[in-house]
Amino acid sequence: GVLAWMGLEINTMAIIPLMAQQHHPRATEAATKYFLTQATAAAMILFASTTNAWITGDWNIPQTSHPAATSLLTLALALKIGLAPMHFWLPEVLQGLNLTTGLILSTWQKLAPFILIYQIAPNTNPTILTSMGILSTLIGGWGGLNQTQLRKILAYSSIAHLGWMITILHFMPALTLLNLTIYIIMTSTMFLSLKSLSATKINSLAITWPKTPILTVMTMLSLLSLGGLPPLTGFMPKWLILQELTKQNLPILATIMAMSALLSLFFYLR
């Protein structure tokens, strides 16, 4: 537990200088917000593992068995990666960063907390995981609707994708890992192509069309794949997850998830 906490703290500390390297009020604000949420989450993690050690005498995170400790740990890790209802910091932090740091924040920084969630998932109350997952997919779908800033859209897409991963985590962890891998690949593609187009708003994509048509087409395709449009890669994990949810006799849940995916697709299609 202590080692996990230390690792996450080092992880936070390492990205703060990258965030604050542009001396711009927005960058500073993003770094401060990020630091505060991550520090809170890390303190909660330490508290949860201490509680568990106090009750059960076991410091090991995968063996966290006390319900209060596991729930607290899950919530802390959800705050760390920006799952709804603890997602409020993510769009604003991402908006204040440049595209390279944004890429690191959206991919690499998600790995450590996610591995911990993956380890404690079997002991966690499935209701907590599933309800956070549904909330995230819905908020990720709705939040992105009125955005024109590409980084905010990517932040909401991140919330929605994490929602899908968390929902299926209790039933089929392998699918979660598949989804995470595909999400990381697609997000990297997205950020790097936006970086080479130096585009941060939707309307700036319209200007890049005459200059670099092929790259713009690639960017559009990876955006649609991130949204989960059927013939593209991003649709695969969604389809498998819906299939598994129906197998688990949760058709209502599957319907809600599918509807929220339509919301995200709508704002990608713009």
Side-chain angles (χ1 to χ4, degrees), residues 26-105:
R26 271 214 197 112
T28 320
E29 185 191 357
T32 314
K33 277 182 183 166
Y34 184 76
F35 174 71
L36 289 173
T37 47
Q38 299 298 311
T40 313
M44 276 168 71
I45 288 165
L46 197 56
F47 176 62
S49 52
T50 314
T51 313
N52 188 62
W54 185 42
I55 298 168
T56 63
D58 196 359
W59 274 105
N60 207 348
I61 280 193
Q63 266 83 51
T64 311
S65 51
H66 192 263
T70 37
S71 305
L72 194 62
L73 203 49
T74 314
L75 289 171
L77 290 164
L79 176 62
K80 247 192 175 335
I81 53 177
L83 268 171
M86 283 79 77
H87 66 282
F88 297 101
W89 59 274
L90 185 63
E92 274 145 40
V93 168
L94 204 57
Q95 184 55 40
L97 306 177
N98 62 17
L99 290 167
T100 321
T101 318
L103 168 69
I104 299 173
L105 179 69

Side-chain angles (χ1 to χ4, degrees), residues 6 22 36 58 98 103 109 113 142 157 195 203 212 268:
M6 275 170 61
Q22 298 168 306
L36 289 173
D58 196 359
N98 62 17
L103 168 69
Q109 295 296 96
W142 258 307
S157 109
K195 190 177 152 61
N203 53 11
T212 48
Y268 286 126

Side-chain angles (χ1 to χ4, degrees), residues 42-242:
M44 276 168 71
I45 288 165
L46 197 56
F47 176 62
S49 52
T50 314
T51 313
N52 188 62
W54 185 42
I55 298 168
T56 63
D58 196 359
W59 274 105
N60 207 348
I61 280 193
Q63 266 83 51
T64 311
S65 51
H66 192 263
T70 37
S71 305
L72 194 62
L73 203 49
T74 314
L75 289 171
L77 290 164
L79 176 62
K80 247 192 175 335
I81 53 177
L83 268 171
M86 283 79 77
H87 66 282
F88 297 101
W89 59 274
L90 185 63
E92 274 145 40
V93 168
L94 204 57
Q95 184 55 40
L97 306 177
N98 62 17
L99 290 167
T100 321
T101 318
L103 168 69
I104 299 173
L105 179 69
S106 306
T107 53
W108 184 248
Q109 295 296 96
K110 299 248 186 292
L111 288 176
F114 218 94
I115 289 166
L116 290 176
I117 291 186
Y118 184 82
Q119 286 182 336
I120 60 166
N123 305 327
T124 315
N125 182 354
T127 322
I128 296 182
L129 289 176
T130 318
S131 45
M132 282 201 306
I134 296 180
L135 246 178
S136 299
T137 46
L138 288 172
I139 286 176
W142 258 307
L145 285 181
N146 57 353
Q147 300 295 340
T148 55
Q149 297 283 356
L150 290 168
R151 279 166 295 186
K152 276 202 173 161
I153 286 184
L154 286 167
Y156 281 111
S157 109
S158 162
I159 295 170
H161 276 275
L162 287 169
W164 282 86
M165 293 177 219
I166 289 295
T167 311
I168 200 65
L169 187 53
H170 197 81
F171 307 110
M172 205 165 173
L175 271 184
T176 303
L177 291 184
L178 170 76
N179 199 336
L180 185 64
T181 318
I182 289 181
Y183 165 74
I184 286 180
I185 294 169
M186 293 191 309
T187 309
S188 312
T189 316
M190 203 55 236
F191 269 101
L192 293 170
S193 32
L194 289 177
K195 190 177 152 61
S196 39
L197 292 170
S198 62
T200 53
K201 286 193 181 64
I202 286 187
N203 53 11
S204 55
L205 282 178
I207 312 166
T208 57
W209 179 247
K211 283 188 283 187
T212 48
I214 297 174
L215 188 56
T216 314
V217 171
M218 290 283 294
T219 311
M220 292 304 175
L221 276 174
S222 47
L223 251 179
L224 290 176
S225 181
L226 208 54
L229 197 66
L232 302 165
T233 320
F235 177 62
M236 178 177 68
K238 285 191 164 62
W239 189 33
L240 292 171
I241 287 174
L242 288 175

